[in-house]
Amino acid sequence: MGKYTREDILRMAEEEDVEFIRLQFTDMFGTMKNIAIPFGKLEKAMDNECVIDASSMESFYRNEEEDMYLHPDLDTFCILPWRPQQGKVARFICDIYKADGTPYKESPRYILQEAVKKAKEKGYTFKVNPECEFFLFHTDDNGAPTTLTHERAGFMDLSPVDLGENARRDIVLTLEEMGYEVASSHHEIAPGQHEIDFTMSDVMETADKLMTFKVAVRTIAKRHGLHATFMPKPKAEVNGSGMHINMALYQDGKNVFEDPADRLGLSREAYGFLAGVMEHIRGMTAVFNPLVNSYKRLVPGFEAPSDVTWSATQRTALVKVCR
């Protein structure tokens, strides 16, 4: 994602024949929402004048109509490569503001921005890279999703056993076309299960990427006649899908988790970070695992954490210290 000025965006949109702009935002349940505006309303959008009625959406005020204003983050401007080449579609990721000009504090993006701000005030920069798992299933004769797959591939298998390889490759190419840096991709343990990993970057940028990533995966999968799902445990008898997040905390360019003198290479800050996760993980789990189906994944025997543990060697630990 680039650092764009208002003039840059107007020029790119005109040169690239952009006809529609999606103003996207995330609700409290992690679902991407959007409104689409024509090119002629682009300047209005960048003036923060586009309004949504939030009263019909979950997690917003439901009792009375309330107008919310979408403030596009100009740095998130991106042309969606899977839309038509004539009359292209671009998008912004937006912050949500109330009519009185104050931010909507229940917005997940605002909550993360505030956490990043507090860390920055202490001199810290938090970087992450996620490992995103998902399933590719067949659809039925009516195009409805199923939990069926013909393939029997396992961890890091190749085609022709891995029947989803072409879809996964096209997903990666699409992400790279949007400026994403993909570290790797491979078939996961369960039949029909795949993983795509990002390179490590700023936590705010990564969160925005993840929301668009889900849209891209579902869209490209559909072009291959498949249904992509991020459901934690779509099939009881095989591994479920999670999202490991590799985390690093920096101060003045130095990884503050690192101490070569320690037996595990960990600093006091790293042990404090681990202790904080252990202390608060039950509350965090309610946010990270919001579905009944989430808890069908958190059971022994399928490489998902089922105990509050950390380890430098065990794959199934809640938190694993990487070498």
CSV table of all heavy atoms in Angstrom, one decimal, residues 6-7 9-11 13-14 21 23 37-50 70 72 74 92:
chain,number,residue,atom,x,y,z
A,6,ARG,N,-4.2,13.3,-2.2
A,6,ARG,CA,-5.5,13.4,-2.9
A,6,ARG,C,-5.3,13.5,-4.4
A,6,ARG,O,-6.1,12.9,-5.2
A,6,ARG,CB,-6.2,14.7,-2.3
A,6,ARG,CG,-7.6,15.0,-2.8
A,6,ARG,CD,-8.0,16.3,-2.3
A,6,ARG,NE,-9.3,16.7,-2.7
A,6,ARG,CZ,-10.4,16.5,-2.0
A,6,ARG,NH1,-10.3,16.0,-0.7
A,6,ARG,NH2,-11.6,16.9,-2.4
A,7,GLU,N,-4.3,14.3,-4.8
A,7,GLU,CA,-4.1,14.5,-6.2
A,7,GLU,C,-3.6,13.2,-6.9
A,7,GLU,O,-4.0,12.9,-8.0
A,7,GLU,CB,-3.0,15.6,-6.4
A,7,GLU,CG,-3.5,17.0,-6.1
A,7,GLU,CD,-3.7,17.2,-4.6
A,7,GLU,OE1,-3.0,16.5,-3.8
A,7,GLU,OE2,-4.5,18.0,-4.2
A,9,ILE,N,-4.5,10.2,-6.1
A,9,ILE,CA,-5.7,9.3,-6.3
A,9,ILE,C,-6.5,9.8,-7.4
A,9,ILE,O,-7.0,8.9,-8.2
A,9,ILE,CB,-6.4,9.3,-4.9
A,9,ILE,CG1,-5.6,8.5,-3.9
A,9,ILE,CG2,-7.8,8.6,-5.1
A,9,ILE,CD1,-6.1,8.6,-2.5
A,10,LEU,N,-6.8,11.0,-7.5
A,10,LEU,CA,-7.6,11.5,-8.6
A,10,LEU,C,-7.0,11.2,-9.9
A,10,LEU,O,-7.7,10.8,-10.9
A,10,LEU,CB,-7.8,13.0,-8.4
A,10,LEU,CG,-8.8,13.5,-7.3
A,10,LEU,CD1,-8.7,15.0,-7.1
A,10,LEU,CD2,-10.2,13.1,-7.7
A,11,ARG,N,-5.7,11.4,-10.0
A,11,ARG,CA,-5.0,11.1,-11.3
A,11,ARG,C,-5.0,9.6,-11.6
A,11,ARG,O,-5.3,9.3,-12.7
A,11,ARG,CB,-3.5,11.6,-11.2
A,11,ARG,CG,-2.7,11.3,-12.4
A,11,ARG,CD,-1.2,11.8,-12.2
A,11,ARG,NE,-0.7,11.4,-10.9
A,11,ARG,CZ,-0.2,10.2,-10.6
A,11,ARG,NH1,-0.2,9.2,-11.5
A,11,ARG,NH2,0.3,10.0,-9.4
A,13,ALA,N,-7.1,7.3,-10.6
A,13,ALA,CA,-8.5,6.9,-10.9
A,13,ALA,C,-8.9,7.2,-12.3
A,13,ALA,O,-9.5,6.4,-13.0
A,13,ALA,CB,-9.4,7.5,-9.9
A,14,GLU,N,-8.5,8.4,-12.7
A,14,GLU,CA,-8.8,8.9,-14.1
A,14,GLU,C,-8.0,8.1,-15.1
A,14,GLU,O,-8.6,7.6,-16.1
A,14,GLU,CB,-8.6,10.4,-14.2
A,14,GLU,CG,-9.2,10.9,-15.5
A,14,GLU,CD,-9.3,12.5,-15.5
A,14,GLU,OE1,-8.9,13.1,-14.5
A,14,GLU,OE2,-9.7,13.0,-16.5
A,21,ILE,N,-16.0,3.3,-6.8
A,21,ILE,CA,-15.1,3.2,-5.6
A,21,ILE,C,-15.9,2.6,-4.5
A,21,ILE,O,-17.0,3.1,-4.2
A,21,ILE,CB,-14.6,4.6,-5.2
A,21,ILE,CG1,-13.8,5.2,-6.3
A,21,ILE,CG2,-13.8,4.5,-3.9
A,21,ILE,CD1,-14.5,6.1,-7.3
A,23,LEU,N,-16.3,2.1,-0.6
A,23,LEU,CA,-15.9,2.6,0.7
A,23,LEU,C,-16.1,1.5,1.7
A,23,LEU,O,-17.3,1.2,2.1
A,23,LEU,CB,-16.7,3.9,1.0
A,23,LEU,CG,-16.6,5.0,0.0
A,23,LEU,CD1,-17.4,6.2,0.4
A,23,LEU,CD2,-15.2,5.4,-0.3
A,37,ILE,N,-19.7,4.0,-4.7
A,37,ILE,CA,-20.0,5.3,-5.2
A,37,ILE,C,-19.4,5.4,-6.6
A,37,ILE,O,-18.4,4.8,-6.9
A,37,ILE,CB,-19.5,6.5,-4.3
A,37,ILE,CG1,-18.0,6.4,-4.2
A,37,ILE,CG2,-20.2,6.4,-3.0
A,37,ILE,CD1,-17.3,7.6,-3.5
A,38,PRO,N,-20.0,6.2,-7.5
A,38,PRO,CA,-19.5,6.4,-8.8
A,38,PRO,C,-18.3,7.4,-8.8
A,38,PRO,O,-18.1,8.1,-7.8
A,38,PRO,CB,-20.6,7.1,-9.6
A,38,PRO,CG,-21.5,7.7,-8.6
A,38,PRO,CD,-21.4,6.9,-7.4
A,39,PHE,N,-17.5,7.4,-9.8
A,39,PHE,CA,-16.2,8.2,-9.9
A,39,PHE,C,-16.5,9.6,-9.6
A,39,PHE,O,-15.7,10.3,-9.0
A,39,PHE,CB,-15.6,8.0,-11.3
A,39,PHE,CG,-14.4,8.9,-11.5
A,39,PHE,CD1,-13.2,8.7,-10.9
A,39,PHE,CD2,-14.6,10.1,-12.3
A,39,PHE,CE1,-12.1,9.6,-11.1
A,39,PHE,CE2,-13.5,10.9,-12.5
A,39,PHE,CZ,-12.3,10.7,-11.9
A,40,GLY,N,-17.7,10.1,-10.1
A,40,GLY,CA,-18.0,11.5,-9.9
A,40,GLY,C,-18.1,12.0,-8.4
A,40,GLY,O,-18.1,13.2,-8.1
A,41,LYS,N,-18.3,11.0,-7.5
A,41,LYS,CA,-18.4,11.3,-6.1
A,41,LYS,C,-17.1,11.1,-5.3
A,41,LYS,O,-17.1,11.1,-4.1
A,41,LYS,CB,-19.5,10.4,-5.5
A,41,LYS,CG,-20.9,10.6,-6.1
A,41,LYS,CD,-21.4,12.1,-5.9
A,41,LYS,CE,-22.8,12.2,-6.5
A,41,LYS,NZ,-23.3,13.6,-6.4
A,42,LEU,N,-16.0,10.8,-6.1
A,42,LEU,CA,-14.7,10.5,-5.4
A,42,LEU,C,-14.3,11.7,-4.5
A,42,LEU,O,-13.8,11.5,-3.4
A,42,LEU,CB,-13.7,10.2,-6.4
A,42,LEU,CG,-12.2,9.9,-5.9
A,42,LEU,CD1,-12.2,8.8,-4.9
A,42,LEU,CD2,-11.3,9.6,-7.1
A,43,GLU,N,-14.3,12.9,-5.0
A,43,GLU,CA,-13.9,14.0,-4.2
A,43,GLU,C,-14.7,14.2,-3.0
A,43,GLU,O,-14.2,14.5,-1.9
A,43,GLU,CB,-13.9,15.3,-5.1
A,43,GLU,CG,-12.8,15.3,-6.1
A,43,GLU,CD,-12.6,16.7,-6.7
A,43,GLU,OE1,-11.9,17.5,-6.0
A,43,GLU,OE2,-13.0,16.9,-7.8
A,44,LYS,N,-16.0,14.0,-3.1
A,44,LYS,CA,-16.9,14.0,-2.0
A,44,LYS,C,-16.5,13.0,-0.9
A,44,LYS,O,-16.5,13.3,0.3
A,44,LYS,CB,-18.4,13.8,-2.4
A,44,LYS,CG,-19.4,13.8,-1.2
A,44,LYS,CD,-20.8,13.5,-1.7
A,44,LYS,CE,-21.7,13.4,-0.5
A,44,LYS,NZ,-23.1,13.1,-1.0
A,45,ALA,N,-16.1,11.8,-1.4
A,45,ALA,CA,-15.7,10.8,-0.4
A,45,ALA,C,-14.4,11.2,0.3
A,45,ALA,O,-14.3,11.0,1.5
A,45,ALA,CB,-15.5,9.5,-1.2
A,46,MET,N,-13.5,11.8,-0.4
A,46,MET,CA,-12.2,12.2,0.2
A,46,MET,C,-12.4,13.5,1.1
A,46,MET,O,-11.5,13.8,1.9
A,46,MET,CB,-11.2,12.5,-0.9
A,46,MET,CG,-10.7,11.2,-1.6
A,46,MET,SD,-9.2,11.3,-2.6
A,46,MET,CE,-9.9,12.3,-4.0
A,47,ASP,N,-13.6,14.1,0.9
A,47,ASP,CA,-13.9,15.2,1.8
A,47,ASP,C,-14.6,14.7,3.1
A,47,ASP,O,-15.1,15.5,3.9
A,47,ASP,CB,-14.8,16.3,1.1
A,47,ASP,CG,-14.0,17.1,0.1
A,47,ASP,OD1,-12.8,17.2,0.3
A,47,ASP,OD2,-14.6,17.6,-0.9
A,48,ASN,N,-14.7,13.4,3.2
A,48,ASN,CA,-15.4,12.8,4.4
A,48,ASN,C,-16.9,13.1,4.5
A,48,ASN,O,-17.4,13.2,5.6
A,48,ASN,CB,-14.7,13.1,5.7
A,48,ASN,CG,-13.2,12.8,5.7
A,48,ASN,OD1,-12.8,11.8,5.1
A,48,ASN,ND2,-12.4,13.7,6.3
A,49,GLU,N,-17.5,13.2,3.3
A,49,GLU,CA,-18.9,13.6,3.3
A,49,GLU,C,-19.9,12.4,3.0
A,49,GLU,O,-21.1,12.7,2.8
A,49,GLU,CB,-19.1,14.7,2.3
A,49,GLU,CG,-18.4,16.0,2.7
A,49,GLU,CD,-18.5,17.1,1.7
A,49,GLU,OE1,-19.2,16.9,0.6
A,49,GLU,OE2,-18.1,18.2,1.9
A,50,CYS,N,-19.4,11.2,2.8
A,50,CYS,CA,-20.2,10.1,2.5
A,50,CYS,C,-20.8,9.5,3.8
A,50,CYS,O,-20.1,9.3,4.8
A,50,CYS,CB,-19.5,9.0,1.7
A,50,CYS,SG,-19.1,9.5,0.0
A,70,LEU,N,-18.1,8.1,6.7
A,70,LEU,CA,-17.0,7.3,6.3
A,70,LEU,C,-15.8,8.2,5.9
A,70,LEU,O,-15.9,9.1,5.0
A,70,LEU,CB,-17.3,6.4,5.1
A,70,LEU,CG,-18.4,5.4,5.4
A,70,LEU,CD1,-18.7,4.6,4.1
A,70,LEU,CD2,-18.1,4.5,6.6
A,72,PRO,N,-12.3,8.0,4.4
A,72,PRO,CA,-11.3,7.1,3.7
A,72,PRO,C,-9.9,7.3,4.2
A,72,PRO,O,-9.5,8.5,4.3
A,72,PRO,CB,-11.5,7.4,2.2
A,72,PRO,CG,-12.8,8.2,2.2
A,72,PRO,CD,-13.0,8.9,3.5
A,74,LEU,N,-6.6,7.4,2.8
A,74,LEU,CA,-6.1,7.5,1.4
A,74,LEU,C,-5.0,6.6,1.1
A,74,LEU,O,-4.8,6.2,0.0
A,74,LEU,CB,-5.6,9.0,1.2
A,74,LEU,CG,-6.6,10.1,1.4
A,74,LEU,CD1,-6.0,11.4,0.9
A,74,LEU,CD2,-7.9,9.8,0.8
A,92,PHE,N,-11.3,2.1,-0.9
A,92,PHE,CA,-10.7,2.7,0.3
A,92,PHE,C,-11.1,1.9,1.5
A,92,PHE,O,-12.3,1.4,1.5
A,92,PHE,CB,-11.1,4.1,0.6
A,92,PHE,CG,-10.6,5.1,-0.4
A,92,PHE,CD1,-11.5,5.7,-1.3
A,92,PHE,CD2,-9.3,5.6,-0.4
A,92,PHE,CE1,-11.1,6.7,-2.2
A,92,PHE,CE2,-8.9,6.5,-1.3
A,92,PHE,CZ,-9.7,7.1,-2.2
